[in-house]
Amino acid sequence: MTGQFNRVDVTVLPMGWTNRETGSFPSEVSGSWSPALSPDGRHAAYVSDRSGRPQVWVQPVGSELTFLVDTGEAPVAAVQWSTGGGWLACLVAPGGAPRHEVWLVRPDGSELHQVGGFSDGTADNVRWLPGRSLLALTENLTTALLIDAVSGERSVVARGELISLLDVSPGRDRALLRVGPRGDRHIVVRDLLTGVDEFVTAGEQAVFGPDGETVYARTESGELPALIRVAKGGVEVLAASETDEVESFTITADGRTAAVLWNVRGGLSELTLIDLDSGARRPVTPLPGWVVSGPSWSFDGSALAFTAEGPGQPHGVWVSSATGVEAVSAEAAAPNAVRPTLETFAAHDGLTLTGWLFRPAGDGPHPTVLWFHGGPEAQERPGHGPLFQSLTDRGIAVFAPNVRGSSGFGRSFVNADNLGLRYAAIEDVRSCARYLTGSGVASTLGIMGRSYGGYLTLAALTTFPGLFAVGIDVCGMSNFATFYEHTEPWIAAAAVSKYGDPVTDRELLADLSPITRIDRLRTPLMIVHGENDSNVPVIEAEQVVRALEARGVPHRYLLFPGEGHELLHRSSRADYLRETVDWLTTYL
């Protein structure tokens, strides 16, 4: 079907290409992420796209020697090192799609073979069980499995709708399961002999302690997530705050130390180590970037790996140990990168909203682009953004807000856009625009976003025609009916609590679908999509392109073969960056 559209054929240019009219262009540089340490902490495996696509690399900590572990042509999303040291579990995204396969390979690159996510299924929540060559994972959010890396035996732990396996006790008689749809997930301990579930807490992350009885969990039962310990003596709060969220945690295999990752001050990171015996705590300092993710212990607890990034600073892998914080694979931040400021303002109904503002040099007002993140239960944070830096270089400001529905601001805020409340989230877009023009930041306005942010872009352009001079929709939903019909079954099932039921809420979903009012869209629009996207299938883009062609609205369609819901190849991201900057500068 796509051949009938006036699609842009992009030409791959070398990294760091120069535009003769506008000067140097910040290139899409490589990054490294998903660190996993060998059991003794002396080697790190991680994912890097330094070769052009995400692949697995192994590197001695403290050395610049790097070794590629070849897992084939498909991009790799994540890697984990077995607690016995003999295997790497690689989460692979065939065709760049959201569907994942799990492949095992030796750290020297031998014995590569697939163990999960076969056929058209997907595998997620991969975890090596401490001290055993057992891999826990979930397929299709319906089947919880244990896989013996030596024998290849696959044993089903549990089945059910919208379940995910978090951990299994050492005796293999109890399992920690996450159950429920988006926005309403909770954790249970299932007795594998009787099938009886015991409720632990609302939330999505939990592990057993070494005794197989104690449970450590990130609870979402309160307004702000916290870390708790659940034992026979009751529930103990280990880490909590009245202003900040516990974003994630990881426990050493011996159960002695917890690393707690905090989300503070609108999206910055802090990392704290807690002695689980004495309660003593100390921060990991200095953190090498504004935003940290993916903390992971070595099996012996001697080292903690994590990813760090910041404005002008790509994802990099770092290790914290008794000797301090050391870079494994990381680039320094660009010295001239624009550092954003956190802005606070009121929505139409008085709700407090925030956003990160990237200002170009010189006095304003400036042409300004509004950028909306995906999710919607995600958060815009001051990490690495080549697009934002490229636009500010050209005198265009970027404002990246967190409208209602975003994470990082408590349970009430993340649920404030569910179902019929989505109209208020769309109205938040206009509140952002009014703040930018009223405060003297913006002269003219553009709007763009990806995934749910692409939906918000389309919704705003059809709800507030004339408000924006230009738009870019990156893999956004345009029609909830076709989204539910064509997306992966497990994605559709999990989305009902957030967007609505495609049958019982059909009228609401139709009214919220931008395609219903597409005749009101007259803003020049670029549509970007990955051809293999099975999360938000390409039909969502095709409907918009057809409608704009029929009405003669200026548009450009940028379709990426071999890519899915995210652009995983550096060449694709470079093309996207070039085309996006060209489109925005043309109309702003």
Side-chain angles (χ1 to χ4, degrees):
M1 292 178 64
T2 56
Q4 66 184 293
F5 299 128
N6 184 20
R7 194 172 86 196
V8 173
D9 293 321
V10 293
T11 302
V12 178
L13 298 177
M15 294 296 125
W17 68 282
T18 299
N19 184 313
R20 284 174 289 185
E21 294 182 359
T22 59
S24 63
F25 192 105
S27 63
E28 175 59 58
V29 297
S30 64
S32 301
W33 62 94
S34 183
L37 293 170
S38 62
D40 60 6
R42 297 174 61 182
H43 290 77
Y46 54 86
V47 178
S48 176
D49 57 2
R50 59 169 64 104
S51 67
R53 71 177 190 275
Q55 293 180 284
V56 177
W57 298 77
V58 172
Q59 183 173 340
V61 176
S63 170
E64 294 185 357
L65 296 173
T66 58
F67 305 91
L68 172 65
V69 180
D70 190 0
T71 57
E73 292 298 316
V76 179
V79 62
Q80 291 195 27
W81 206 313
S82 69
T83 55
W87 294 98
L88 300 176
C90 306
L91 201 63
V92 173
R99 187 180 76 81
H100 289 142
E101 298 173 353
V102 179
W103 290 71
L104 297 186
V105 64
R106 297 289 188 182
D108 64 4
S110 62
E111 299 186 46
L112 175 68
H113 62 286
Q114 184 179 358
V115 296
F118 294 97
S119 185
D120 59 350
T122 189
D124 292 287
N125 238 346
V126 178
R127 168 178 164 79
W128 288 104
L129 300 187
R132 293 165 283 177
S133 59
L134 284 174
L135 190 67
L137 57 84
T138 305
E139 290 183 331
N140 305 327
L141 291 183
T142 60
T143 308
L145 294 164
L146 285 181
I147 298 173
D148 190 306
V150 176
S151 67
E153 178 187 359
R154 290 163 52 96
S155 55
V156 176
V157 174
R159 296 186 190 274
E161 186 177 6
L162 297 179
I163 68 167
S164 191
L165 180 60
L166 303 179
D167 203 1
V168 176
S169 65
R172 296 178 63 172
D173 58 343
R174 306 167 81 232
L176 269 171
L177 301 174
R178 185 199 76 194
V179 297
R182 289 164 59 175
D184 189 27
R185 288 171 173 160
H186 57 279
I187 299 162
V188 299
V189 174
R190 177 167 297 179
D191 187 312
L192 297 180
L193 299 177
T194 65
V196 175
D197 288 348
E198 178 185 354
F199 177 83
V200 177
T201 188
E204 300 191 27
Q205 184 190 7
V207 294
F208 283 117
D211 61 4
E213 298 288 337
T214 304
V215 173
Y216 295 91
R218 177 183 178 269
T219 178
E220 299 177 30
S221 60
E223 182 60 29
L224 295 171
L227 174 62
I228 60 173
R229 176 165 51 192
V230 183
K232 291 182 178 179
V235 178
E236 178 184 4
V237 178
L238 299 175
S241 168
E242 295 182 356
T243 57
D244 305 315
E245 292 192 352
V246 170
E247 182 179 348
S248 67
F249 72 93
T250 180
I251 308 289
T252 53
D254 62 9
R256 301 285 300 276
T257 309
V260 180
L261 181 61
W262 293 88
N263 183 338
V264 305
R265 297 186 297 281
L268 300 176
S269 293
E270 291 181 359
L271 189 57
T272 304
L273 304 184
I274 300 178
D275 186 308
L276 294 174
D277 294 327
S278 67
R281 57 193 65 202
R282 65 179 178 87
V284 175
T285 56
L287 286 182
W290 286 19
V291 180
V292 168
S293 59
S296 173
W297 287 106
S298 61
F299 180 64
D300 66 2
S302 64
L304 177 73
F306 56 86
T307 300
E309 60 173 313
Q313 176 189 352
H315 294 85
V317 169
W318 301 74
V319 170
S320 174
S321 64
T323 59
V325 178
E326 181 177 5
V328 175
S329 176
E331 299 285 341
N336 59 343
V338 173
R339 269 62 174 175
T341 57
L342 185 64
E343 307 293 313
T344 302
F345 58 102
H348 63 284
D349 56 359
L351 182 68
T352 298
L353 302 179
T354 63
W356 293 96
L357 177 61
F358 294 75
R359 292 178 184 262
D363 297 330
H366 306 279
T368 303
V369 175
L370 269 166
W371 163 270
F372 291 94
H373 63 70
E377 316 96 322
Q379 183 183 8
E380 192 61 49
R381 306 177 71 174
H384 177 53
L387 175 61
F388 296 178
Q389 300 296 330
S390 299
L391 291 172
T392 55
D393 281 351
R394 283 155 179 74
I396 298 174
V398 180
F399 186 57
N402 285 299
V403 297
R404 68 192 72 203
S406 304
S407 61
F409 304 92
R411 183 174 62 175
S412 298
F413 195 85
V414 82
N415 290 325
D417 68 338
N418 291 353
L419 306 177
L421 299 176
R422 194 151 315 281
Y423 293 106
I426 297 170
E427 188 63 41
D428 283 348
V429 177
R430 183 157 61 176
S431 296
C432 293
R434 287 172 171 167
Y435 169 74
L436 293 171
T437 54
S439 59
V441 171
S443 53
T444 54
L445 287 171
I447 183 172
M448 66 177 299
R450 71 169 301 276
S451 194
Y452 176 75
Y455 162 79
L456 270 188
T457 296
L458 294 173
L461 292 175
T462 54
T463 305
F464 314 120
L467 183 58
F468 297 99
V470 62
I472 301 179
D473 157 34
V474 185
C475 61
M477 302 94 74
S478 62
N479 184 337
F480 279 114
T482 52
F483 164 73
Y484 273 111
E485 181 182 355
H486 294 281
T487 190
E488 301 285 5
W490 55 88
I491 294 176
V496 168
S497 60
K498 196 69 184 175
Y499 300 128
D501 186 281
V503 176
T504 59
D505 297 311
R506 181 169 50 250
E507 293 183 4
L508 171 66
L509 291 172
D511 195 55
L512 285 167
S513 295
I515 202 69
T516 303
R517 299 178 179 85
I518 200 68
D519 59 326
R520 303 183 69 191
L521 197 160
R522 51 181 181 266
T523 303
L525 180 67
M526 185 162 81
I527 304 97
V528 183
H529 223 98
E531 193 170 35
N532 298 334
D533 192 345
S534 58
N535 184 329
V536 179
V538 73
I539 190 175
E540 298 303 301
E542 293 173 345
Q543 295 175 76
V544 175
V545 174
R546 276 197 295 268
L548 299 185
E549 284 186 339
R551 291 164 177 80
V553 177
H555 66 280
R556 182 181 294 178
Y557 184 25
L558 192 60
L559 185 68
F560 285 95
E563 298 284 8
H565 197 54
E566 297 183 23
L567 300 180
L568 298 181
H569 296 79
R570 283 177 59 199
S571 60
S572 297
R573 296 202 303 271
D575 294 336
Y576 161 74
L577 186 62
R578 182 184 70 250
E579 295 290 337
T580 297
V581 172
D582 176 69
W583 186 255
L584 293 174
T585 53
T586 296
Y587 289 99
L588 282 178

